[in-house]
Amino acid sequence: MIRILGIVFSFLLLLVSNTDYMSTASAKQSQNVEIPVLLYHVVKPDPDPNNPYQFSLEEFEKHMAYLHENGYRTLTMKQYFNILDKKAAMPEKPILLTFDDNSNDFYPYVYPVLQKYGMKATQFTVSDWVNGSWNMTSNEILAVMENGIDIQNHSVSYPFLADLSREQQYEEINDTTTALKELTGRETNVFAYPYGNYNADTISILEELGFKGAFKVGGGLSTDQSDRYELPRIMILQNHTLDDFIRMVKTGY
């Protein structure tokens, strides 16, 4: 009799365990995925008032303080794709921070603010610009990479890709993959279109080379339904106020 009761008890425990697992898996699968992806370019103390792509360091810190104080969780690129692909649960307030062009403001200005608030980010890197007169050095890239910054592909020379032949586009993308792997020892598998410019050839090359996805400019929030090769990004410009920023993080526009 005791043995029978033990078997029944074990069966009930297994049943409850499986039910909890199925409920958790079902909740993860049905989760409504929405992730804002922010795009910054130059961030420095004295931005050129005539260049909308240069943003104030003081205002940038207000952005990061807002995200920190309001419980946003910055993601690595791997975490971002795992959430989109329903391979990982989504935190309550996920956000992906991206920066383009490996400009030389990132290491002295942006990086310390990200560290201050414990934030992760992605730097989309133009390989021919590494060690350039207004760009990050290879040592700076390696330093930030070791401390929470993903280094990803932004082409060799920053061309309008749709104006190039398929062969030229292939070289722009693949040669940067090679150059960045030689520099960092890591594969790049995510792309950002220079100028947000691309065509069907660009996408087919990225698929051929095994890229997980690529970012355009604009388009709202990322969801699990987003085309992986036309992922949206919210561009932050100099004229955007903190109220604009808060709205854009919540709505994508």
Side-chain angles (χ1 to χ4, degrees):
M1 182 67 176
I2 293 174
R3 183 181 177 188
I4 293 173
L5 288 174
I7 293 171
V8 171
F9 183 69
S10 297
F11 174 75
L12 289 174
L13 281 177
L14 181 62
L15 182 62
V16 170
S17 176
N18 283 342
T19 301
D20 288 344
Y21 171 79
M22 292 300 289
S23 297
T24 302
S26 176
K28 190 166 81 170
Q29 290 300 317
S30 62
Q31 196 174 27
N32 184 26
V33 174
E34 287 188 340
I35 305 175
V37 181
L38 303 184
L39 164 58
Y40 295 89
H41 289 87
V42 173
V43 178
K44 60 183 183 177
D46 56 344
D48 179 351
N50 297 313
N51 187 335
Y53 299 102
Q54 294 192 8
F55 198 73
S56 160
L57 178 61
E58 181 181 357
E59 293 301 310
F60 174 72
E61 179 147 10
K62 290 179 184 178
H63 289 186
M64 298 304 105
Y66 172 84
L67 296 178
H68 179 74
E69 291 164 6
N70 287 274
Y72 282 87
R73 177 91 162 271
T74 55
L75 304 173
T76 65
M77 195 60 75
K78 182 177 180 180
Q79 289 169 329
Y80 168 80
F81 277 98
N82 281 343
I83 293 168
L84 289 192
D85 296 339
K86 299 293 186 75
K87 294 178 180 178
M90 184 176 70
E92 186 176 350
K93 291 182 175 181
I95 192 163
L96 182 67
L97 305 179
T98 71
F99 298 82
D100 280 7
D101 306 342
N102 47 300
S103 51
N104 61 10
D105 60 282
F106 188 85
Y107 187 75
Y109 302 128
V110 175
Y111 178 54
V113 175
L114 296 175
Q115 284 194 306
K116 176 180 177 179
Y117 293 103
M119 293 182 165
K120 304 164 187 172
T122 295
Q123 174 64 246
F124 282 104
T125 302
V126 181
S127 59
D128 264 5
W129 292 356
V130 176
N131 295 316
S133 59
W134 63 277
N135 297 96
M136 295 171 70
T137 68
S138 55
N139 286 338
E140 288 171 344
I141 289 172
L142 291 173
V144 301
M145 184 191 72
E146 294 302 325
N147 290 278
I149 308 301
D150 286 325
I151 304 299
Q152 294 291 347
N153 193 320
H154 202 30
S155 80
V156 170
S157 63
Y158 204 77
F160 285 93
L161 289 169
D163 292 343
L164 304 182
S165 68
R166 191 182 193 283
E167 181 181 1
Q168 289 170 322
Q169 289 196 53
Y170 186 96
E171 290 174 354
E172 281 285 338
I173 298 167
N174 190 57
D175 288 1
T176 294
T177 297
T178 301
L180 292 180
K181 185 175 182 181
E182 288 176 356
L183 172 61
T184 67
R186 300 179 187 177
E187 294 281 355
T188 57
N189 59 3
V190 183
F191 191 73
Y193 301 112
Y195 306 102
N197 177 262
Y198 61 98
N199 58 18
D201 280 343
T202 325
I203 293 174
S204 72
I205 291 165
L206 292 170
E207 291 175 330
E208 178 184 337
L209 291 173
F211 277 70
K212 292 180 68 66
F215 288 92
K216 59 180 186 177
V217 176
L221 302 175
S222 296
T223 75
D224 52 302
Q225 301 301 310
S226 297
D227 187 317
R228 297 301 187 266
Y229 296 96
E230 294 182 301
L231 292 163
R233 284 198 294 174
I234 305 160
M235 187 186 292
I236 306 299
L237 299 174
Q238 188 175 142
N239 66 318
H240 288 142
T241 65
L242 182 59
D243 286 341
D244 291 332
F245 173 79
I246 294 169
R247 183 196 71 249
M248 293 158 78
V249 166
K250 291 178 178 178
T251 69
Y253 298 99

